[in-house]
Amino acid sequence: MACVYIPVQNSEEEVRVALDQLPRDATDILDILKAEQAPLDLWLIIAREYFKQGKIEQFRQILEEGSSPEIDEYYADVRYERIAILNALGAYYSYLGKIETKQREKEEHFILATQYYNKASRIDMHEPSTWIGKGQLLLAKGDVDQAFAAFKIVLDGDRDNIPALLGQACVEFNRGKYSNSLEMYKRVLQVYPGCPAAVRLGIGLCRYKLGQFERAKQAFERVLQLDPENVEALVALGIVDLQSNEGWSYLVDAVKFMYLFLLSCMLLVAASGIWGAMEKMRRAFDIYPYCATALNYLANHFFFTGQHFLVEQLTETALAASTHGSTRAHSYYNLARSYHSKGDYEKAGLYYMASVKEINKPQEFILPFYGLGQVQLKLGDFKSSLSNFEKVLEVYPENCETLKAVAHIYLQLNQTTKAHEALKKATRIDPRDPEAFLDLGELLISTDSGAALDAFKTARSLLKKANEEVSIELLNNIGVLHFEKGEFELALQTFKEALGDGIWLKLINTEPQSALVGGSYPDPIREALYQPMDSCLAPRKYKDMQLFHNLEKDGISVDFPWDKITTLSNLARLFEQLHKTETASLLYRLILFKFPEYVDAYLRLAAIAKSRNNVSLSIELIHDALQVDDKNPDALCMLGDLELKNDDWVKAKDTFRAAKDASNGKDSYATLCLGNWNYFAAVRSEKRAPKLEATHLEKAKELYTKVLVEHPANMYAANGAGVVLAEKGQFDIAKELFTQVQEAASGSVFVQMPDVWINLAHVHFAQGNFSLAIKMYQNCLRKFYYNTDNQILLYLARTHYEAEQWQDCKKTLLKAIHLAPSNYTLRFDTGVALQKFSASTLQKTKRTVDEVRATVAELKNAVRVFSQLSAASNLQFHGFDEKKIETHVGYCKHLLEAAKVHCDAAELEDQQNRHRLELARQAAIREEESRVAEEQKKVKLEKRKQEDELKKVMQQEQHLERIKEHWKSSGSKRKDRAQSGDEEGAHGERRRRKGSSKKRKRDKKTEAQMDDQDEYEDDNANTNYYEPENHQVHNNQVDDDNDDPQDLLAAAGLEDSDADNDPAAPSSNTGRRIRGWSESEDDEEPEKRQPSTSPPVRDNSVDMQLTDGE
Amino acid sequence: MKLAWLRSLETCHQDCVWACTWLPASDKSAGLLLTGSLDETVKLWNPDDLSLVRTNTGHCLGVVSVAAHPSGRIAASASMDSFIRVFDVESNNTIATLEAPPSEVWQMQFDPRGTTLAVAGGSSASVKLWDTAEWKLVSTLSIPRPEGSKPSDKGNNKKFVLSVAWSPSGRQLACGSMDGSISVFDVQRAKFLHHLDGHTMPVRSLAYSPLDPRVLVSGSDDECIHMYDAEGKTLLTSMSGHSSWVLSVDVSPDGAAIASGSSDRTVKLWDPKMRAAVQTMTNHTDQVWGVKFEAVGGGARGSLLASVSDDKSISLYNYS
């Protein structure tokens, strides 16, 4: 029984204190110690005993009393003991600090410890044990360099100081100077051969670090001999056996926390280990069955080895064993992670939640927040997930993974700007993370394709730098973005890179003749590709699959993986854009050969066929597509459009309806098509029924508005709405709309909206702003049609006509005929324009002889144009009313005769003028007689020429007369009826004749009363100028003595049918124009619009150019 | 195979230039370039410096086609009023005025021996052949109506004939229609042989290869240039690359290259062996309505190619 004896002051007696019977209340002992002024070493002994017994409170009480100022004063000369007491306190607080996990408390402990040591140093700054204590403290604080200095001071004084040596060894180990560390440990062993096993453990670790595995193993084994339960040695032996490289970094950690955490850290090392080596570790675990931390780390190991049931058991044990918040948080985290990785998000979420609840501050242990965020994201709870990720970001504001996750959530919550910010930040923090750039690119694709492209390109170059495979999707996206920007060459390169090598490359690159002339080997691909084909089959080549069959027969694989379809089809789309249509069709067919269910390829082929005017093949291809998916709205819309083209109105409507139904009304394109259909229906009806028209227009408007509500940015719907507005006469609003659409439509290569230009021009026209309208039409023609659209030329001509620019009008019409020679309407219009020009010239009060001559020439042309038409009408090339043409012919001839009078008069006047001039000149300059004579000669010559010309005219007229005679004999019956003045009858006949084609006839009366606004949109197509009232005016002038133009016309054998039917004043400009334009409406659509599905972004490229009508 | 731009003349006409052809050198004059325009004139040019030799007037409405007699002494021009004016190149005297109502007149070509003028007859769905000695209509080569259609059908409108070309031997003749079909005739027997299908839009220009009489080149609004074996009735190749209608095609005198003019404002030179465009000239600013090789290559200087356009200009290139 160990006892201490406290000497009683001023006597020889002593108080005996049995160390194992120390009073529970330390105050009793303290009273004795103070009263007897016991030596301080006794204080220490008693305090130490308390400590040994685990009575920490008493231990502290005695030591704190023993270091109080009054003791200092009393025992001022007892230095060593005072220092020892202070050092003991310092060590105690160092220890507390070391094991404390909460940062604030930890710091407080360390501060106290430092105070005690400093106090000790003040008593004797050379005391080695103080320095050792300080070294330990610094080591615990992780301040390795200062710890080194502290230990060095001690060792400089006594090179064999064991604690200092051990401390220094530890410092050296932490600094990675293992051989130095080993030297220290060895010296300890030399100085103190009976040292505890821990020293040998240090030697083993050093040797292990130095790669001397055998010696390390020996050292560990020696430790185990001395102390079979030494966990560290067990673990270390395990590691040595594992020979695991990955363990090294953990080992370094392990040494850092050697004092308490060594065990657990070793187990962590084991986490990356192999099962066989785990035996020893499990023994270690057996020794400390309730060491929750160890359990956690062991669980961690099993998590990584994928043995989830063990993880669960271990962590549950750990949870039972520990009440310490941080440890429990770890345990829950392990458990949650295990479930998380198994995909059991519900349970994982619960455990993450439990883990989070154990944590006071996210700073301490952030991982469960991240995990919880992930799980909630997975479960679709974006808001909670976001708040958790934001907590992670509070601690680690620059964590890229979290930033990306947050960006993803923002995207899901439609907060694109915030998502954008987060991703931007992520890419800024780690400019080498391809994934962040990928995400950024995807985010930007719809808003800022240029920035998206940059992001994708960065991602690509990063991946390439890291030698990682660049995914086909990424390359595809880059390609599409280049494509959109119109950088076709770059797009081509990118697509090719994405696709790599394969049959497609051969199909694209095989040239008709081998580069090696003469030595050309038989190349089956070339043969298959460049085989001449029977021209009968040529129109069907977009369906030809024989090529691929042949190739397969030749043993050439035409396979390609499914993930390349998209890119392949984009490449084909690119070839289309580059007008390499043959290559494009080849690729589409290749896709269909292997994947016949890829609808888009059918649709593109159909679109190609359609653009080539091959309607039947196009329809066939769409039916193929519909066989794959009979509810495909795109295919249905395209079909409807083609049916419209074939003039199959009812069918088209059904098809559009089906398309709309198939997409549950969500496909705005189908809705748009239906809107267009209604609009056309409104303006096409044979007999104009205002009620029906209004219904259709209303319906069209409703449909357009519906689309606009869903997609405010839909340009086609806006355009349609504008058309309906214009139709109702609200020109200013319509103009506004069109202008906005026009602005929006400029930019992408995929959005081509010439229609809005045309509509805008129409509005200008309707508002009488001819010069603007002309400019707009011309720009549109040039920008979108390479000047090839005769329809727009017709609009242009009409505008010139209204602006009374006769020559421009004529030239424009001639250009249109040149482009569309078989369009007889254009010829008729030309005739009318010529006639009108002549009439207006003759109307002028002042005209030169040249003008009159030109008029005569144009009149002759007009006569010729009309007579040709008349002749053609016999052959039924076109649907003109014969009688009407005759009327024109007759009228022109009549004008011609009148013109002759004018011509003569003008000529006479001209001659007289000349004569007068001549006389004057003769009088003035008689001396230059010779020159004058010459001039006279010239005048005579000219006169003769003019006479010749007139003669020719007469001849031609006679010729015409003959032709007319011919008609009379062949069509007398019809003519009779026409002459009876039954205009309606004649029209009826015409209508019957044209019954099969879609032409809109209007009741004349309605037309005449229609107002200006209405007419503009509908009638732009119609360019027959038939203007009897103008003729009347003219006649009045020609025959001054005749006051009744109607009589004159009747006398001339002309029936002014319109005048009969039209009670309204013919002088009204509105009425005039309407009648002028309304006569025939061959094959024209009043409005053209081009709704198209969304342009190809990334995935597929159905960019159907569905032109309405025609 | 290369085109080198030599010179251009801006506003050589007052309006769109729609037709061009080369007049071979005759005993009286050197080779000349003949152009026709919407401004109702036909002009003759000296190819050396593109100086104007003469302006012929007398047409009404635009001049749509010009043709040169192989002798180089006679030429014909046709306008939209459907008159053909045949004139003496040197004196500009009108030799004949041809008309075959109600047929329109589009492209024309003299046969290689110069005995016949073939005229694409528009809505008459036929090619009219005129004898060049007496200037009489000697034959009408009609495209047969599709089977099952009645004569009264308006469908024939689709066979509207736009373009015409003689085979180098003068035995065959091909014409192109609005519906994209090409019809081949045996001239001597005045017999329709067969159709060449493949185009689906108007065929505005045809040209036989001067070396291989079987090879016929066609240009169409469907943006494609086709090469057919006109006798074997097979499509040899289809070449795409123009971004708008192909308005005019011609085969080089050595038969190795094809030139094309398009409404996409470009002139392209094609290598039929590679089936690809080897060169694109972008000097025109509007539709290129005519491209024509000078029939006889001038030895070292290669042969000339002329192109005319809606931009009112003529361009000359050296082909080598």
Side-chain angles (χ1 to χ4, degrees):
Chain A
M1 177 72 51
C3 300
V4 286
Y5 298 91
I6 304 168
V8 177
Q9 211 178 14
N10 302 326
S11 77
E12 291 301 305
E13 288 174 44
E14 293 169 323
V15 178
R16 182 171 162 273
V17 180
L19 287 179
D20 55 347
Q21 286 172 354
L22 287 172
R24 186 163 295 231
D25 188 355
T27 326
D28 295 350
I29 289 280
L30 269 175
D31 285 345
I32 298 172
L33 288 172
K34 279 192 207 162
E36 304 304 330
Q37 298 181 350
L40 281 175
D41 62 329
L42 280 178
W43 293 55
L44 255 178
I45 291 168
I46 289 167
R48 202 182 295 145
E49 193 53 39
Y50 271 120
F51 184 77
K52 275 185 190 160
Q53 290 172 16
K55 292 171 178 162
I56 306 296
E57 204 40 53
Q58 290 85 336
F59 158 82
R60 221 189 57 204
Q61 201 179 347
I62 289 173
L63 286 187
E64 274 170 3
E65 200 67 35
S67 61
S68 61
E70 47 188 286
I71 297 287
D72 284 346
E73 206 177 305
Y74 190 81
Y75 293 95
D77 50 343
V78 191
R79 296 165 60 153
Y80 179 79
E81 277 80 5
R82 271 165 56 208
I83 289 171
I85 287 174
L86 286 168
N87 282 354
L89 274 169
Y92 168 68
Y93 281 112
S94 296
Y95 168 76
L96 281 184
K98 222 180 298 174
I99 59 165
E100 182 56 62
T101 51
K102 289 174 188 155
Q103 199 59 35
R104 235 183 72 216
E105 279 87 342
K106 199 181 183 84
E107 304 244 306
E108 277 168 9
H109 289 315
F110 282 140
I111 287 166
L112 273 176
T114 316
Q115 282 171 357
Y116 285 119
Y117 282 129
N118 285 343
K119 205 169 166 192
S121 283
R122 275 201 295 280
I123 296 168
D124 179 2
M125 68 166 297
H126 297 296
E127 174 56 43
S129 58
T130 312
W131 285 113
I132 290 168
K134 273 189 178 174
Q136 299 280 12
L137 172 62
L138 289 164
L139 200 56
K141 282 163 83 176
D143 200 341
V144 183
D145 288 326
Q146 286 203 44
F148 181 83
F151 290 128
K152 195 164 176 293
I153 289 170
V154 180
L155 289 173
D156 285 348
D158 174 10
R159 60 184 298 268
D160 288 337
N161 186 310
I162 291 170
L165 276 171
L166 282 174
Q168 200 67 313
C170 190
V171 169
E172 295 286 18
F173 191 94
N174 273 333
R175 284 170 148 193
K177 294 177 180 167
Y178 304 116
S179 52
N180 286 357
S181 179
L182 184 61
E183 280 310 306
M184 301 281 179
Y185 282 126
K186 275 183 176 167
R187 186 128 36 103
V188 172
L189 209 58
Q190 281 163 6
V191 175
Y192 179 36
C195 64
V199 178
R200 293 177 188 278
L201 190 70
I203 291 175
L205 287 171
C206 286
R207 289 206 184 280
Y208 176 79
K209 277 287 187 190
L210 289 167
Q212 304 161 343
F213 299 122
E214 267 319 300
R215 311 270 310 259
K217 217 168 144 184
Q218 282 171 6
F220 291 134
E221 274 161 4
R222 180 90 181 105
V223 175
L224 285 178
Q225 278 172 14
L226 295 172
D227 175 9
E229 295 195 354
N230 187 302
V231 179
E232 291 93 330
L234 285 169
V235 174
L237 262 176
I239 300 165
V240 176
D241 278 351
L242 285 170
Q243 286 290 312
S244 157
N245 285 331
E246 291 146 51
W248 288 42
S249 59
Y250 292 107
L251 205 55
V252 174
D253 291 344
V255 176
K256 268 186 195 153
F257 302 104
M258 210 151 144
Y259 298 100
L260 179 73
F261 283 97
L262 187 62
L263 165 75
S264 46
C265 293
M266 288 302 169
L267 285 166
L268 184 62
V269 172
S272 52
I274 301 160
W275 177 247
M278 290 303 291
E279 277 305 303
K280 287 194 173 104
M281 306 215 187
R282 276 209 285 176
R283 251 190 81 201
F285 166 60
D286 287 340
I287 296 164
Y288 295 102
Y290 296 112
C291 177
T293 318
L295 286 166
N296 278 342
Y297 283 102
L298 208 53
N300 196 32
H301 160 76
F302 286 119
F303 174 76
F304 282 113
T305 55
Q307 287 152 297
H308 294 292
F309 66 100
L310 281 173
V311 176
E312 281 151 37
Q313 281 179 357
L314 288 168
T315 39
E316 267 155 26
T317 320
L319 283 170
S322 172
T323 51
H324 186 237
S326 152
T327 317
R328 286 177 71 88
H330 274 91
S331 302
Y332 281 127
Y333 173 67
N334 270 334
L335 215 48
R337 203 162 45 149
S338 169
Y339 284 115
H340 191 168
S341 72
K342 281 195 290 187
D344 187 345
Y345 299 114
E346 299 282 344
K347 266 194 178 150
L350 287 177
Y351 283 115
Y352 278 131
M353 208 83 97
S355 176
V356 166
K357 270 184 198 148
E358 295 285 348
I359 298 167
N360 295 328
K361 278 190 246 156
Q363 284 92 329
E364 289 163 11
F365 187 45
I366 199 66
L367 291 174
F369 289 96
Y370 188 77
L372 187 56
Q374 280 182 314
V375 169
Q376 282 164 338
L377 178 58
K378 202 88 185 174
L379 295 174
D381 184 358
F382 296 123
K383 291 247 162 71
S384 320
S385 174
L386 186 63
S387 80
N388 280 312
F389 280 125
E390 273 169 349
K391 271 181 199 143
V392 177
L393 282 180
E394 271 169 33
V395 183
Y396 299 107
E398 311 230 307
N399 184 299
C400 287
E401 292 303 320
T402 317
L403 281 170
K404 281 190 274 181
V406 167
H408 180 72
I409 295 170
Y410 279 132
L411 204 55
Q412 298 289 329
L413 296 172
N414 270 333
Q415 295 174 306
T416 21
T417 12
K418 281 191 169 171
H420 187 193
E421 273 167 29
L423 279 175
K424 268 264 155 137
K425 198 172 167 194
T427 51
R428 205 181 51 238
I429 292 159
D430 186 359
R432 277 165 305 175
D433 179 9
E435 224 176 286
F437 281 104
L438 259 179
D439 289 348
L440 188 61
E442 300 237 344
L443 174 65
L444 289 169
I445 250 179
S446 53
T447 50
D448 182 353
S449 55
L453 182 58
D454 287 342
F456 281 137
K457 271 158 103 180
T458 316
R460 177 175 64 176
S461 59
L462 286 173
L463 285 170
K464 275 190 182 159
K465 234 180 249 170
N467 274 329
E468 278 179 57
E469 201 192 339
V470 185
S471 72
I472 185 168
E473 289 84 4
L474 172 57
L475 288 171
N476 183 43
N477 285 350
I478 294 177
V480 169
L481 287 168
H482 277 307
F483 191 177
E484 271 181 5
K485 281 178 79 182
E487 298 162 346
F488 299 133
E489 194 47 47
L490 282 169
L492 185 64
Q493 278 169 16
T494 319
F495 284 143
K496 279 187 178 165
E497 188 187 336
L499 288 168
D501 195 21
I503 177 73
W504 49 88
L505 216 56
K506 287 187 192 130
L507 290 175
I508 298 168
N509 290 341
T510 302
E511 285 171 353
Q513 285 195 340
S514 165
L516 306 160
V517 181
S520 67
Y521 52 94
D523 180 349
I525 294 181
R526 185 187 314 137
E527 274 166 33
L529 273 181
Y530 295 107
Q531 211 170 25
M533 96 171 46
D534 192 319
S535 80
C536 301
L537 300 173
R540 301 188 46 77
K541 69 183 163 205
Y542 297 134
K543 281 199 75 177
D544 176 42
M545 292 288 176
Q546 192 57 40
L547 166 71
F548 304 109
H549 287 296
N550 288 349
L551 283 178
E552 277 198 331
K553 230 184 273 165
D554 286 332
I556 291 171
S557 161
V558 291
D559 277 334
F560 63 96
W562 62 270
D563 62 339
K564 299 206 163 159
I565 298 180
T566 306
T567 314
L568 207 52
S569 119
N570 280 338
L571 180 62
R573 184 72 188 76
L574 179 63
F575 278 122
E576 268 188 74
Q577 195 74 28
L578 295 172
H579 298 282
K580 292 186 181 168
T581 324
E582 304 302 309
T583 318
S585 100
L586 199 63
L587 291 183
Y588 286 132
R589 280 182 284 155
L590 173 66
I591 295 174
L592 289 178
F593 183 65
K594 277 290 146 192
F595 299 93
E597 68 280 5
Y598 193 71
V599 172
D600 288 346
Y602 286 114
L603 295 184
R604 283 315 309 165
L605 281 173
I608 294 176
K610 193 181 142 203
S611 75
R612 297 256 163 121
N613 210 19
N614 199 341
V615 178
S616 62
L617 183 68
S618 189
I619 289 182
E620 213 173 300
L621 282 161
I622 291 173
H623 278 301
D624 285 347
L626 287 174
Q627 252 169 18
V628 177
D629 174 8
D630 65 346
K631 290 214 162 29
N632 187 310
D634 291 340
L636 285 169
C637 286
M638 217 167 152
L639 183 63
D641 186 58
L642 284 164
E643 281 164 353
L644 267 188
K645 209 167 169 155
N646 272 354
D647 209 30
D648 228 335
W649 281 78
V650 182
K651 231 176 168 181
K653 189 181 184 184
D654 287 345
T655 315
F656 286 139
R657 279 239 174 94
K660 199 181 158 201
D661 293 344
S663 57
N664 291 325
K666 275 182 199 127
D667 189 305
S668 46
Y669 182 51
T671 316
L672 257 184
C673 285
L674 213 50
N676 289 346
W677 187 92
N678 272 294
Y679 172 74
F680 293 140
V683 294
R684 86 179 272 272
S685 50
E686 289 265 323
K687 283 219 172 187
R688 195 132 174 142
K691 215 170 153 190
L692 201 67
E693 187 183 311
T695 328
H696 277 309
L697 269 185
E698 207 43 56
K699 182 76 186 160
K701 189 182 164 194
E702 183 194 314
L703 288 161
Y704 291 138
T705 317
K706 194 180 153 208
V707 176
L708 275 178
V709 166
E710 280 166 26
H711 306 278
N714 190 312
M715 292 184 272
Y716 301 103
N719 187 32
V723 171
V724 176
L725 282 172
E727 193 75 36
K728 292 184 170 173
Q730 290 158 306
F731 292 130
D732 288 322
I733 308 174
K735 193 155 79 183
E736 183 100 343
L737 254 175
F738 290 142
T739 313
Q740 280 178 14
V741 174
Q742 188 191 21
E743 273 166 26
S746 55
S748 171
V749 291
F750 296 115
V751 186
Q752 297 273 314
M753 282 195 72
D755 310 317
V756 75
W757 291 60
I758 298 172
N759 287 338
L760 209 47
H762 284 351
V763 175
H764 286 313
F765 174 83
Q767 293 187 322
N769 210 337
F770 298 133
S771 59
L772 261 178
I774 288 170
K775 210 171 257 172
M776 195 66 83
Y777 285 130
Q778 281 171 341
N779 285 342
C780 175
L781 257 177
R782 195 164 176 82
K783 191 172 156 74
F784 298 102
Y785 295 104
Y786 291 107
N787 290 345
T788 55
D789 192 291
N790 64 66
Q791 189 63 47
I792 302 172
L793 278 171
L794 191 54
Y795 298 148
L796 190 58
R798 191 198 158 177
T799 316
H800 282 307
Y801 184 91
E802 287 301 323
E804 306 203 335
Q805 297 157 337
W806 312 117
Q807 282 306 312
D808 289 329
C809 176
K810 175 185 145 193
K811 289 265 163 79
T812 310
L813 283 169
L814 288 178
K815 277 189 207 175
I817 297 177
H818 195 219
L819 290 167
S822 58
N823 186 340
Y824 286 92
T825 317
L826 295 171
R827 287 170 189 270
F828 186 92
D829 295 343
T830 311
V832 175
L834 293 172
Q835 168 193 319
K836 174 76 185 161
F837 162 66
S838 311
S840 71
T841 315
L842 291 178
Q843 249 171 279
K844 284 205 270 186
T845 44
K846 270 203 166 181
R847 50 194 176 254
T848 64
V849 72
D850 283 339
E851 272 180 337
V852 178
R853 252 178 241 140
T855 306
V856 171
E858 298 293 39
L859 270 175
K860 275 185 266 172
N861 281 334
V863 169
R864 188 161 168 80
V865 166
F866 284 127
S867 14
Q868 269 188 335
L869 280 175
S870 186
S873 81
N874 273 355
L875 296 171
Q876 296 172 326
F877 289 149
H878 52 76
F880 291 113
D881 181 23
E882 198 181 316
K883 186 221 154 204
K884 199 165 122 189
I885 297 171
E886 272 171 41
T887 313
H888 278 284
V889 172
Y891 175 67
C892 285
K893 280 189 189 158
H894 170 77
L895 270 186
L896 204 54
E897 253 163 58
K900 214 171 83 189
V901 180
H902 281 274
C903 200
D904 290 343
E907 214 133 302
L908 196 72
E909 200 181 321
D910 189 53
Q911 223 166 352
Q912 280 169 353
N913 273 348
R914 275 170 206 243
H915 196 64
R916 224 177 292 137
L917 259 171
E918 206 180 301
L919 282 173
R921 210 179 288 155
Q922 272 174 355
I925 33 170
R926 282 188 191 283
E927 61 267 31
E928 289 181 74
E929 262 179 358
S930 59
R931 208 182 58 111
V932 173
E934 229 168 69
E935 223 172 297
Q936 271 178 319
K937 214 165 151 193
K938 212 166 111 194
V939 170
K940 270 179 200 158
L941 252 169
E942 204 164 312
K943 200 175 136 196
R944 197 178 303 145
K945 206 172 161 193
Q946 283 158 3
E947 277 163 2
D948 279 349
E949 221 169 89
L950 275 172
K951 219 188 220 166
K952 216 164 94 191
V953 171
M954 291 309 290
Q955 278 169 357
Q956 278 175 7
E957 262 173 49
Q958 281 162 7
H959 181 68
L960 271 172
E961 274 315 308
R962 278 202 302 280
I963 295 171
K964 233 176 121 184
E965 282 303 313
H966 174 68
W967 304 334
K968 268 180 195 155
S969 56
S970 65
S972 58
K973 200 173 163 193
R974 218 178 303 160
K975 204 171 169 192
D976 286 345
R977 203 200 294 172
Q979 273 178 342
S980 75
D982 183 7
E983 173 74 19
E984 282 307 311
H987 266 272
E989 185 175 320
R990 194 169 119 219
R991 220 171 277 144
R992 269 199 301 283
R993 216 185 299 153
K994 297 180 2 177
S996 66
S997 64
K998 56 153 186 178
K999 268 151 227 151
R1000 181 162 47 98
K1001 288 285 123 37
R1002 284 210 219 140
D1003 190 297
K1004 288 224 150 203
K1005 269 179 213 159
T1006 343
E1007 256 166 55
Q1009 280 145 9
M1010 289 248 302
D1011 58 3
D1012 187 55
Q1013 316 148 347
D1014 212 328
E1015 159 272 341
Y1016 117 84
E1017 288 269 288
D1018 312 348
D1019 287 1
N1020 269 311
N1022 321 317
T1023 348
N1024 290 350
Y1025 321 124
Y1026 181 47
E1027 295 172 302
E1029 72 278 15
N1030 270 32
H1031 309 165
Q1032 293 162 17
V1033 174
H1034 164 68
N1035 284 335
N1036 275 340
Q1037 291 200 338
V1038 173
D1039 307 273
D1040 287 334
D1041 49 347
N1042 193 336
D1043 283 331
D1044 188 356
Q1046 195 68 37
D1047 285 354
L1048 178 81
L1049 277 171
L1054 296 173
E1055 192 74 35
D1056 189 357
S1057 50
D1058 283 315
D1060 286 344
N1061 289 343
D1062 183 9
S1067 59
S1068 136
N1069 182 46
T1070 317
R1072 175 175 65 84
R1073 207 197 300 160
I1074 286 158
R1075 239 173 290 121
W1077 293 92
S1078 60
E1079 280 300 329
S1080 91
E1081 328 204 14
D1082 283 353
D1083 296 311
E1084 274 108 49
E1085 272 319 319
E1087 272 309 301
K1088 290 177 42 170
R1089 251 157 302 131
Q1090 263 188 339
S1092 109
T1093 53
S1094 51
V1097 180
R1098 289 186 287 154
D1099 272 329
N1100 48 47
S1101 42
V1102 190
D1103 178 28
M1104 286 179 298
Q1105 301 271 318
L1106 303 187
T1107 334
D1108 296 298
E1110 299 201 60
Chain B
M1 179 179 308
K2 193 169 141 268
L3 281 183
W5 176 82
L6 289 178
R7 62 189 72 88
S8 294
L9 186 61
E10 305 297 325
T11 49
C12 61
H13 279 276
Q14 280 162 12
D15 221 313
C16 310
V17 191
W18 279 348
C20 72
T21 198
W22 291 93
L23 264 171
S26 66
D27 44 357
K28 285 178 186 162
S29 68
L32 294 173
L33 181 66
L34 203 58
T35 58
S37 160
L38 172 59
D39 67 8
E40 305 180 357
T41 63
V42 173
K43 291 189 181 184
L44 287 85
W45 307 88
N46 182 344
D48 294 332
D49 51 0
L50 276 183
S51 57
L52 182 64
V53 176
R54 196 173 57 238
T55 302
N56 295 351
T57 52
H59 276 293
C60 294
L61 312 182
V63 176
V64 291
S65 174
V66 288
H69 192 270
S71 70
R73 285 196 293 266
I74 301 172
S77 53
S79 52
M80 243 182 238
D81 59 3
S82 301
F83 280 121
I84 301 167
R85 175 174 180 262
V86 184
F87 59 94
D88 182 280
V89 173
E90 208 202 8
S91 65
N92 195 23
N93 287 337
T94 302
I95 296 169
T97 302
L98 311 179
E99 198 199 1
S103 155
E104 294 90 356
V105 174
W106 292 93
Q107 267 187 13
M108 313 179 288
Q109 197 182 12
F110 284 99
D111 85 308
R113 282 172 300 145
T115 56
T116 316
L117 175 68
V119 178
S123 58
S124 66
S126 66
V127 176
K128 311 276 182 194
L129 299 183
W130 297 82
D131 175 61
T132 57
E134 300 178 38
W135 298 109
K136 270 187 186 160
L137 184 65
V138 288
S139 178
T140 297
L141 303 176
S142 290
I143 301 173
R145 292 171 191 282
E147 275 171 49
S149 72
K150 288 172 211 146
S152 61
D153 276 358
K154 282 206 300 166
N156 229 22
N157 208 359
K158 288 177 183 164
K159 291 289 180 198
F160 194 102
V161 178
L162 279 170
S163 52
V164 67
W166 288 92
S167 75
S169 64
R171 260 184 247 129
Q172 277 188 11
L173 185 142
C175 69
S177 308
M178 280 300 276
D179 68 348
S181 70
I182 296 165
S183 312
V184 183
F185 296 94
D186 179 327
V187 180
Q188 272 152 345
R189 289 186 290 149
K191 189 169 173 261
F192 167 80
L193 294 178
H194 49 251
H195 285 302
L196 300 173
D197 293 315
H199 286 300
T200 44
M201 287 166 87
V203 176
R204 290 182 194 264
S205 182
L206 290 170
Y208 275 94
S209 162
L211 293 193
D212 187 347
R214 289 169 70 107
V215 174
L216 176 70
V217 178
S218 63
S220 161
D221 286 5
D222 66 11
E223 303 175 8
C224 282
I225 294 170
H226 283 181
M227 273 174 71
Y228 291 98
D229 176 347
E231 282 174 36
K233 223 186 138 190
T234 50
L235 173 62
L236 296 173
T237 187
S238 170
M239 301 188 285
S240 52
H242 276 300
S243 45
S244 188
W245 301 355
V246 180
L247 301 173
S248 175
V249 289
D250 198 20
V251 186
S252 66
D254 59 6
I258 297 171
S260 66
S262 160
S263 51
D264 69 6
R265 300 159 203 160
T266 64
V267 172
K268 279 181 193 275
L269 189 71
W270 304 79
D271 182 348
K273 281 185 185 152
M274 304 303 284
R275 299 171 198 226
V278 288
Q279 209 174 345
T280 302
M281 315 298 289
T282 54
N283 47 315
H284 284 298
T285 57
D286 211 335
Q287 304 174 346
V288 181
W289 277 102
V291 287
K292 199 84 183 166
F293 283 103
E294 197 182 17
V296 187
R301 66 165 188 174
S303 55
L304 289 173
L305 174 73
S307 66
V308 295
S309 158
D310 264 4
D311 65 8
K312 306 170 191 172
S313 75
I314 306 176
S315 286
L316 281 183
Y317 319 84
N318 191 59
Y319 164 75
S320 53

